[in-house]
Amino acid sequence: MLSAARSELILGGQKSGKSRRAELLARSWLAQSPAHQAVLIATAQPWDAEMRERIARHQTDRAERVPGMQTVEEPLALGPTLARHSQPQTLVVVDCLTLWLTNLLMPMENSKQNEALAHDPRAQVAMLLRAIENAAGPVVLVGNEIGLGVIPLGRETRAFVDALGLMNQDVAQACQRVTFMAAGLPLTLKG
């Protein structure tokens, strides 16, 4: 049985098994006690048909694998949402940090909230780090490691890769455990 750390960052490439590991940790947490709860904070936004289909598939798969986990959708205000749902008997899963940072840096919708949050993503990351450090219960955060490949050509893409790498470093420092996933296999980097 997997055991949850006080806080864990799970990094890896696309389809590396990151979300599956987070779900296994949530399922194990729920099995430990009838008083335990699990909440998933989903950061994806359904901007196009493919993304809507992907979200629906993830919801269906997650409901089968971890039927007791509640889902909360929050694409922007992640730190406050994590703080609000963190309780001693509740494991909170955040999936995923990469989409959250994308939402902050490249808002798709012209709303006052998006504009306000997008102007200072470092402040949003700082709020997230405080929420992780002050969490009353275990927190599992899922994100992509995209800096292992070819250097991107576009200025905006390079800036995003840099911002994601820096955020991943900050979150890794705040977490008790850091796990890198490849081919469905976990490699413990910290903890």
Side-chain angles (χ1 to χ4, degrees), residues 100-136:
W100 174 64
L101 186 63
T102 301
N103 296 336
L104 291 176
L105 293 176
M106 302 171 213
M108 301 287 283
E109 168 179 288
N110 292 326
S111 75
K112 296 293 182 197
Q113 183 185 22
N114 280 13
E115 289 173 21
L117 293 175
H119 286 302
D120 195 2
R122 292 300 299 169
Q124 293 300 312
V125 171
M127 279 195 282
L128 173 63
L129 296 174
R130 280 192 302 278
I132 293 167
E133 291 168 4
N134 296 323

Side-chain angles (χ1 to χ4, degrees), residues 17-30:
K18 305 177 305 290
S19 295
R20 182 69 54 98
R21 177 176 173 82
E23 290 170 357
L24 289 171
L25 287 166
R27 191 169 67 203
S28 177
W29 172 260
L30 290 169

Side-chain angles (χ1 to χ4, degrees), residues 33-190:
S33 167
H36 283 181
Q37 297 179 351
V39 174
L40 170 81
I41 302 173
T43 63
Q45 296 187 72
W47 293 113
D48 59 31
E50 187 275 335
M51 194 60 169
R52 283 188 292 277
E53 182 180 303
R54 182 179 287 261
I55 289 169
R57 186 175 60 249
H58 279 270
Q59 289 170 336
T60 300
D61 292 347
R62 193 170 43 250
E64 289 176 12
R65 289 191 291 259
V66 193
M69 186 159 54
Q70 172 193 0
T71 299
V72 173
E73 296 182 16
E74 180 47 64
L76 297 168
L78 185 55
T81 303
L82 172 57
R84 189 169 52 254
H85 289 280
S86 181
Q87 302 295 322
Q89 297 296 318
T90 302
L91 179 139
V92 178
V93 175
V94 174
D95 198 354
C96 93
L97 293 175
T98 310
L99 288 175
W100 174 64
L101 186 63
T102 301
N103 296 336
L104 291 176
L105 293 176
M106 302 171 213
M108 301 287 283
E109 168 179 288
N110 292 326
S111 75
K112 296 293 182 197
Q113 183 185 22
N114 280 13
E115 289 173 21
L117 293 175
H119 286 302
D120 195 2
R122 292 300 299 169
Q124 293 300 312
V125 171
M127 279 195 282
L128 173 63
L129 296 174
R130 280 192 302 278
I132 293 167
E133 291 168 4
N134 296 323
V139 179
V140 177
L141 304 112
V142 176
N144 291 76
E145 176 53 69
I146 64 172
L148 297 173
V150 180
I151 297 172
L153 291 176
R155 178 177 57 91
E156 291 86 4
T157 307
R158 284 192 303 273
F160 178 77
V161 172
D162 289 349
L164 181 62
L166 292 172
M167 181 189 69
N168 285 345
Q169 289 181 48
D170 290 344
V171 174
Q173 286 299 312
C175 286
Q176 182 183 36
R177 181 187 297 153
V178 178
T179 303
F180 184 77
M181 296 297 297
L185 301 172
L187 173 65
T188 302
L189 302 178
K190 176 182 175 184

